[in-house]
């Protein structure tokens, strides 16, 4: 039987993805889909990272996905073997006891770089808002990470509640490698 050996002793062999061996293709594609399991209150005039507490792969009757374990501490972080271009999405169900002055959600790379912005979609007759965003982000260095951030400026000093509901996943964040 033929075998593939590293060029140097103690080295390793790296294959570009996807790799085909005798008709079998291997492809590691990190992906995640996480939700909240508690409400989060954000004070007026605050920029805050959205927390996602349900992150264990297979939890919530299989609704939680964290293949590769790259989602932790409210952010998705790549390693040297998982760098690449990723598609991310988030949907936040929020409410307040008053109107908004300014309210934004964005995907933030490495804690400082704002990459996407979405304005709320007002749900008629209430102070409830659905914030959704999606897009491609290049995570080309080991340690690059993406998190969901809310910039909350509410009228009359109101706070914003990011909602969790035990029967419906109203707030979620996910992504997967596309290249």
């Amino acid at each position: 039987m033929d075998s593939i050996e590293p060029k140097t002793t103690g080295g390793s062999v790296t294959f570009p993805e996807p790799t085909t061996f005798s008709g079998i293709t291997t492809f590691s594609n990190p992906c995640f889909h996480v939700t909240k399991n508690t409400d989060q209150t954000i004070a007026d005039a605050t920029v805050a990272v959205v927390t996602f507490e349900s992150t264990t792969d297979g939890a919530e009757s299989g609704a939680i996905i964290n293949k590769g374990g790259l989602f932790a501490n409210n952010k998705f972080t790549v390693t040297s073997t998982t760098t690449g271009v990723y598609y991310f999405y988030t949907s936040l169900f929020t409410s307040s006891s008053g109107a908004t002055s300014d309210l934004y959600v964005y995907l933030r790379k490495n804690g400082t770089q704002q990459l996407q912005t979405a304005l709320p979609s007002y749900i008629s007759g209430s102070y409830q808002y659905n914030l959704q965003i999606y897009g491609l982000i290049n995570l080309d260095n080991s340690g690059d990470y993406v998190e969901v951030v809310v910039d909350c400026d509410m009228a009359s000093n109101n706070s914003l509640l990011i909602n969790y509901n035990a029967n419906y996943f109203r707030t979620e964040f996910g992504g997967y490698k596309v290249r």
Side-chain angles (χ1 to χ4, degrees):
M1 173 177 254
D2 291 335
S3 64
I4 298 172
E5 301 290 333
K7 187 174 181 179
T8 58
T9 304
S12 61
V13 177
T14 304
F15 297 98
E17 293 186 12
T19 303
T20 302
F21 297 99
S22 302
I24 300 172
T25 300
T26 63
F27 199 106
S28 81
N29 192 12
C31 60
F32 74 101
H33 178 92
V34 296
T35 64
K36 297 189 70 53
N37 66 16
T38 187
D39 289 341
Q40 178 181 358
T41 301
I42 299 177
D44 180 38
T46 301
V47 175
V49 173
V50 178
T51 59
F52 294 91
E53 301 80 22
S54 288
T55 63
T56 304
D57 190 40
E60 305 285 354
S61 300
I64 305 304
I65 301 167
N66 195 3
K67 300 299 181 195
L70 300 179
F71 189 90
N73 301 315
N74 305 309
K75 58 188 173 187
F76 178 82
T77 307
V78 295
T79 64
S80 61
T81 60
T82 59
T83 58
V85 177
Y86 284 80
Y87 176 83
F88 291 99
Y89 61 89
T90 190
S91 178
L92 310 177
F93 184 82
T94 66
S95 61
S96 178
S97 56
T100 63
S101 177
D102 288 303
L103 176 59
Y104 307 96
V105 62
Y106 52 92
L107 300 173
R108 186 167 70 179
K109 180 181 174 182
N110 297 336
T112 57
Q113 186 178 5
Q114 180 178 325
L115 296 175
Q116 304 287 335
T117 302
L119 301 174
S121 173
Y122 178 68
I123 300 172
S124 180
S126 68
Y127 293 111
Q128 296 177 331
Y129 307 91
N130 186 13
L131 299 157
Q132 295 182 346
I133 195 163
Y134 46 87
L136 293 170
I137 299 175
N138 187 9
L139 302 178
D140 52 354
N141 295 302
S142 178
D144 281 352
Y145 67 91
V146 172
E147 59 195 348
V148 177
V149 177
V150 169
D151 186 339
C152 173
D153 191 8
M154 307 301 290
S156 304
N157 222 14
N158 288 299
S159 60
L160 181 73
L161 179 77
I162 299 177
N163 186 256
Y164 155 74
N165 185 298
N167 298 316
Y168 308 101
F169 299 113
R170 292 181 172 177
T171 295
E172 55 196 4
F173 178 32
Y176 53 89
K177 186 175 181 178
V178 296
R179 181 163 196 243

